[in-house]
Amino acid sequence: ASSKSGHHFCGSEARQNKDLEQLTRIEDPKGRDSEKRSQRDTIIEELRARATSLGFSAFGIAPANARPDLPQKLQSALQSGWHADMDWMEDTKDRRGTPTALWPDVKSVIMVGANYGPDENPLDRLIDPSLANVSVYAQMRDYHDVIKGRLKDLAGLLARRTGAEVKVFVDTAPVMEKPLAEAAGLGWQGKHTVLLSRDAGSWLFLGAIFTSAELPASTPEAEKCGTCTKCLDICPTDAFPAPFRLDARKCLAYYLVEHKGQIPLEFRRPMGNRVFGCDDCLAVCPWNKFASATRDSKLAARETIRDAQLSDMLALSDSAFRDFFAQTPVKRLGSARFLRNCLVAAGNSGDRHHLPAIERLLSHQSPLVRGMAIWALRQLADTGEAETQRARTLATEPDPEVRAEWSH
């Protein structure tokens, strides 16, 4: 997420003053309160209906001050180092802790969710080493682009009907969407820290509309995980120090998506065939049995990405990578880090047919790629082949981290 400000809409001053009076509760003579409540409820139902027509399956409202506990929880996580090297979380902590720190005029937060549920169990794809396994959320068009346009439509309706100021956010500012969505009644944060919904399981994209209007709050959703620990137990790297706590320093999704350096040695084998993200803790949740596959064509998986073959991904040039993953979250990773991930998957595959591609990548311009090519080669080649390549590459390799890959 970046720290760009959300989009801003505002009605005329006269309209704003007039309609905000309708939304602000004032002790008036008998009958006026009920009239204002009726007007307010009508606006909310209009917003809810519009949200549904735009493809949002969940809608709720939280007061801006609904979660006063968040600054302390955020500070505790940062002090524990659970954000790994995502320094932007530390840099934006003061604005992230509460909506009013980001925008002092916010009174209410409208939270919406869009179902992106897959039509199959993502765990089934982990057993095929020939696949370049991409997380469900990244198999489709970038959700930022899809959800942002719809949020602006919904926020525009609110601005026109009330004259209130609004700002929209889709993972593009220091906003803690998941606890706000919980406060707005969309679901609850599971033990894997992801928002869970009775209707969509683990598969909701979230969007937020901050507004200066005081809107009636929805009923928060109570946590419903009970004694279940399946999401914690399935994690291949033990990334949860406790229920409801995630340490990015042990999370495969972090290393495959956010980490800019070489993949630490202890996480390479657990990555299996994953090349972008990890869905294990999301996919195993029993609440997914109530979820349905998305019917939103813009949030449907691209078959070419869902079924991508590892051998084809290893052959992608930079331009071919950008074309293949155009308008998807994977493109932001860049081809070098993507090849780094694919080489780890190749090393885990046990398939010697990848060796020619791996050997070509030993001379790639990026040290990230050259280093992982060495590791992959050493997993698949016999001793003689590896020694030949070792002597050849060490003669010209200037990067000490790449050279060290021959010593692990």
Side-chain angles (χ1 to χ4, degrees):
S2 71
S3 57
K4 293 184 291 185
S5 62
H7 290 263
H8 174 250
F9 303 87
C10 183
S12 69
E13 183 177 359
R15 176 67 179 273
Q16 180 176 347
N17 291 339
K18 177 182 176 182
D19 290 328
L20 275 180
E21 288 175 2
Q22 297 176 350
L23 287 171
T24 303
R25 180 177 176 85
I26 303 172
E27 293 299 331
D28 277 345
K30 187 175 181 179
R32 290 287 301 278
D33 285 343
S34 61
E35 180 182 351
K36 287 195 292 292
R37 281 195 300 270
S38 177
Q39 292 171 336
R40 184 184 63 185
D41 292 345
T42 297
I43 293 172
I44 298 305
E45 288 310 309
E46 187 178 353
L47 290 169
R48 189 184 301 274
R50 182 59 182 159
T52 300
S53 70
L54 288 168
F56 294 116
S57 56
F59 175 98
I61 301 170
N65 61 356
R67 294 295 301 270
D69 58 317
L70 293 182
Q72 187 279 326
K73 288 186 175 180
L74 175 60
Q75 183 62 31
S76 176
L78 292 172
Q79 288 177 342
S80 298
W82 293 344
H83 61 306
D85 63 3
M86 293 182 286
D87 294 335
W88 46 266
M89 294 191 70
E90 176 72 37
D91 296 340
T92 61
K93 66 179 180 180
D94 292 336
R95 288 179 292 153
R96 185 178 299 276
T98 176
T100 53
L102 184 61
W103 183 34
D105 293 336
V106 62
K107 298 294 190 298
S108 304
V109 179
I110 297 174
M111 294 298 305
V112 292
N115 173 28
Y116 71 100
D119 59 7
E120 61 179 2
N121 187 341
L123 296 175
D124 294 340
R125 307 183 73 78
L126 295 175
I127 61 175
D128 185 350
S130 70
L131 287 176
N133 203 6
V134 173
S135 180
V136 171
Y137 85 92
Q139 295 173 9
M140 60 198 73
R141 184 178 172 187
D142 194 327
Y143 68 95
H144 296 88
D145 299 334
V146 176
I147 304 302
K148 177 62 75 66
R150 297 175 183 181
L151 268 186
K152 289 163 69 175
D153 184 304
L154 188 62
L157 174 61
L158 176 61
R160 291 192 301 273
R161 293 288 281 114
T162 69
E165 293 180 275
V166 295
K167 297 178 185 286
V168 303
F169 304 103
V170 188
D171 198 24
T172 51
V175 176
M176 298 180 75
E177 291 98 341
K178 291 180 287 186
L180 288 173
E182 184 177 72
L186 271 63
W188 67 96
Q189 278 191 267
K191 293 178 182 177
H192 55 359
T193 75
V194 175
L195 191 83
L196 286 172
S197 162
R198 288 178 293 180
D199 300 319
S202 297
W203 315 108
L204 273 182
F205 286 137
L206 299 176
I209 301 174
F210 284 20
T211 177
S212 59
E214 291 195 48
L215 303 177
S218 306
T219 302
E221 185 77 68
E223 183 258 303
K224 295 179 174 64
C225 292
T227 60
C228 179
T229 58
K230 287 188 175 182
C231 60
L232 311 182
D233 299 337
I234 199 174
C235 181
T237 52
D238 196 24
F240 299 100
F244 311 104
R245 304 287 185 269
L246 172 64
D247 186 347
R249 295 170 300 185
K250 295 183 178 181
C251 179
L252 294 184
Y254 162 75
Y255 284 108
L256 287 162
V257 177
E258 297 285 349
H259 186 59
K260 294 179 172 59
Q262 294 289 17
I263 305 297
L265 189 62
E266 65 267 32
F267 297 118
R268 295 176 191 176
R269 280 295 181 193
M271 282 184 177
N273 68 353
R274 302 171 186 84
V275 298
F276 191 89
C278 177
D279 292 322
D280 292 23
C281 61
L282 281 74
V284 77
C285 179
W287 282 98
N288 289 331
K289 66 184 177 183
F290 299 109
S292 58
T294 184
R295 286 180 252 171
D296 190 325
S297 60
K298 290 187 177 179
L299 297 179
R302 295 183 188 175
E303 291 185 6
T304 53
I305 296 178
R306 184 188 62 193
D307 300 330
Q309 295 294 299
L310 184 56
S311 57
D312 294 333
M313 298 300 97
L314 288 168
L316 290 179
S317 65
D318 181 67
S319 60
F321 164 82
R322 286 185 276 111
D323 289 342
F324 188 82
F325 290 107
Q327 296 183 312
T328 75
V330 182
K331 183 180 177 182
R332 294 197 303 273
L333 186 68
S335 62
R337 284 196 286 164
F338 182 71
L339 282 173
R340 172 201 66 184
N341 297 349
C342 289
L343 284 161
V344 174
N348 290 330
S349 71
D351 187 350
R352 285 176 53 87
H353 289 98
H354 292 311
L355 280 172
I358 293 169
E359 290 171 357
R360 285 194 302 272
L361 293 172
L362 288 169
S363 57
H364 193 276
Q365 63 181 4
S366 168
L368 286 178
V369 177
R370 297 197 303 274
M372 285 304 97
I374 292 170
W375 184 82
L377 178 81
R378 296 182 69 195
Q379 309 312 304
L380 301 178
D382 60 37
T383 303
E385 292 171 320
E387 281 301 313
T388 298
Q389 293 293 347
R390 180 179 184 276
R392 184 182 67 83
T393 59
L394 286 178
T396 57
E397 177 57 60
D399 190 288
E401 194 170 10
V402 174
R403 295 174 66 89
E405 286 294 332
W406 287 110
S407 304
H408 291 323

